[in-house]
Each structure stands twice: as structure tokens, then as C-alpha cells.
Amino acid sequence: MKFYMPVRVYDEDECVKAHAKDIAALGNKALIVTGKHSAFANGSFDDVAEVLNDVKIEYSVFSEVEENPSVETVFAAKDKYASAGIDLVIGIGGGSPMDAAKAIALVLKHPEADPAYLYDKEKDASSLPIVCVPTTCGTGSEVTGVSVLTRHDKKTKISMVHKVFPTLALIDGKYLKGASQTLIVNSAMDALSHLYESVINAKADDYVRMTAAAGLKTWAKIKDVLSGAREMTKEDAGILMRASALAGMSIAGSGTSLPHALSYALTYDLSLPHGRAVGYFLPAFMEAAPAGERDELLNLSGFESVEEFRSFTGSVFGEQDVPAEELKRTYELVSSNAAKMKSASFTVDEEVLKQIVFWKK
Ligand SMILES: [Fe+2]
């Protein structure tokens, strides 16, 4: 067994400003990697910029990261900044900017890197130091080494093979303020899927169960915010972020399983948000899982049964129809991927996979 979580995590109010010195210790010239809008609207960019100015770190801003960032975007950043003397990368936002920041920090460290570098296990995985400032509550990317990138050549998303962990994660629930209910639901359901899939996983061990159990108990506290039963408070925002980080630590230990594998083509083809695409398959995956372990996980997160969980996902996501052709492509992609088929803690043959994919008769 191995517990490897090399990220220094701070989770507190005004976290970015409180840790200016920690940022300053990592470099002299930063590249801030963000999406186009939210980091500029929720105050996170301003906080980081203020701190960088205070500690006299020069910075450039690459704000071209799209939802589900592509390999092409990573190399657009490399082309632009390869000779700019960047020695620190700061990812601000949801999973997309943070995942892009990791890949960019990797290729900026290796001037010779081409797209194949990201998918070549033999290559050096060292990167520039990375600071992550999450502004959503699902990905957990601030504590994982994973960078999921869109591969237009394969018409899906594929994680790069290298594990590139941030050095520093600065977590502050205040950046969730103003996020839409839809974004909160999509990302919190992604976090929940990380917690379930990391445990119902061939690679799960007691360390994964430890972080997942803490994450599930934390997540249970905000279930009624997702259902709309009450408004999100400042405390809830912090709890949502914490559940997401604990879920990230769980998948850093064991990885995700079939709902994630199945989700990628749906996101690519239908532009379904990640949490929603994963959530489409999650209840059927839970139903197929061994009852003892499954019910324990459901109970920790506040559900008494698979039926209650299925009805909860139905109520937060609403009715979701996926075209039969799309489900067929998804099924074929995953059923032909031996590693994905073996990723769960229980035996998944073609029949079981069909139950999970085609659950909606
Ligand atoms: Fe995810």
C-alpha cells in the first residue's frame, strides 16, 4: 500500500492572501492559467494578482482554457510562453484550468515536448511548481496528479499518463459564492462520484477508504443544499470545497472507475457537463456493485438505499435522455478497454456493463 499525497493543502478563509509567502517561495515569474470568465468574476483572480504584486512576482495570464481543455490548448500556451522565463504555474478555476495548468507546467519544463510527450510513460514527468486555487467543488484536481485532456483525434477525453501534482493547494469556499445552482450540483455530484468510484475500485486500500469516509461524511452535510431544500451558506461553501478535496485525495490513491470512463464520450459528443455525464451512469454502477460495500458508502453520504440515491440524482439533474447511438458508442469504447473493464472492485463483464450503460430501458 502507498499513501502519496504530496500537495501542501491550506483550507481556510482568505487562504490566498494568508499564504502569499508560500507562493513567493516557489518562483519569480508566474503564468496564471484560467478559463475565460469565472476566475475574473468570483474574486479569485484578483486575490492572486494582488498577492503576486505584493510579493513582487511578475506574471502573465493565459485565460484561453476552454471547458474540457484540449491538448491543442496546452500547446498554444507552450508556444506562447516557452521563452518567457516562466518558473511557476498558477491554475485558478475548476477542473479545466487546473488540469490544463498541470499539463502546461509539464511541457514548459520540457521545451522538446510535443503532444505525444503527454502520453509517453517513458518521458520525464517533472514539471514547474504548480499552485492550484479551486473555484468549484467537484474536480479535486488541486490535490491530484491527474490532468484529463480532450483528444480531438480520438473524439473523447483521455488523462495524460504522467502524474503531475500541484505543490500548493489554496482552498477557500468564498470563491463558490455566486456560482449557479447548476454548477454547484454538477460539481458536487462529480465529487460524490469520486468518493464512490475510488472505493468501489480494484485499487482501493484502507488509505483510500479513510479519505473517502471523511469525504462522504462531509458531503452528506450539504446534500440538502443540492436538492434546493435550503440556501448555501458560507459554511456550506467551505464544506463543499472540502468534500471535493477529500474526494480528490481518494481518487489520487486509486483512480476513478466505470462511470467516469463512460462519461467522457458523452461529454465530447453531447457537451454534457462532466458531473452530469458521470451522474447519468452512477446510480446504475452503484446498483451493480456488491451490496455490503455499496450500502455502507450510500449510508455515509446520507442515502438509505440505491433507490433513494437514484431518485435524488433524478431530482437534482432532471430528466436526461441520451440517444441510443451515443450509448452504443460509449459502450463500445469502454467494453474494448481492458483496463477500464477491470477498474471496479467487482467483476464487470459485458452483461454487467450493458446494465450500467443501458439502465434506462
Ligand atoms: Fe470527475
Side-chain angles (χ1 to χ4, degrees), residues 138-139 190-191 193-194 251 256 260 264 274 278:
T139 155
D190 184 26
S193 68
H194 294 162
I251 50 171
T256 55
H260 268 69
Y264 294 142
H274 173 64
V278 173

Side-chain angles (χ1 to χ4, degrees), residues 7 68 113 296 307 313 342:
V7 187
N68 307 301
E296 198 181 327
E307 292 70 35
T313 55
K342 286 189 205 141

Side-chain angles (χ1 to χ4, degrees), residues 154-321:
K154 306 245 183 204
K155 296 193 183 315
T156 188
K157 304 199 299 179
I158 306 179
S159 302
M160 65 178 191
V161 294
H162 308 290
K163 293 282 181 273
V164 176
F165 282 88
T167 309
L168 191 59
L170 302 175
I171 301 172
D172 188 336
K174 78 173 183 172
Y175 302 131
L176 266 187
K177 254 186 344 200
S180 68
Q181 179 74 1
T182 306
L183 181 135
I184 289 171
V185 165
N186 288 344
S187 42
M189 291 304 283
D190 184 26
L192 184 64
S193 68
H194 294 162
L195 292 162
Y196 290 163
E197 288 178 51
S198 61
V199 175
I200 304 176
N201 194 298
K203 294 186 185 152
D205 60 22
D206 284 347
Y207 295 96
V208 168
R209 291 182 193 98
M210 169 185 78
T211 48
L216 289 162
K217 283 188 226 166
T218 305
W219 191 95
K221 295 177 192 163
I222 49 75
K223 197 174 129 219
D224 49 356
V225 172
L226 304 185
S227 66
R230 65 184 175 83
E231 292 284 304
M232 180 176 77
T233 64
K234 182 170 173 260
E235 285 68 35
D236 293 326
I239 289 169
L240 278 157
M241 286 260 194
R242 197 160 311 124
S244 171
L246 288 163
M249 290 177 199
S250 302
I251 50 171
S254 59
T256 55
S257 184
L258 290 162
H260 268 69
L262 292 165
S263 77
Y264 294 142
L266 259 61
T267 293
Y268 189 91
D269 293 331
L270 309 176
S271 299
L272 266 193
H274 173 64
R276 200 178 167 107
V278 173
Y280 181 82
F281 299 108
L282 192 57
F285 175 71
M286 295 301 279
E287 197 159 20
E293 186 164 63
R294 169 196 67 209
D295 292 344
E296 198 181 327
L297 297 173
L298 287 169
N299 293 345
L300 281 169
S301 46
F303 300 105
E304 282 185 12
S305 62
V306 180
E307 292 70 35
E308 190 192 339
F309 176 56
R310 186 186 288 285
S311 118
F312 178 84
T313 55
S315 74
V316 298
F317 285 132
E319 192 67 14
Q320 182 71 59
D321 279 317

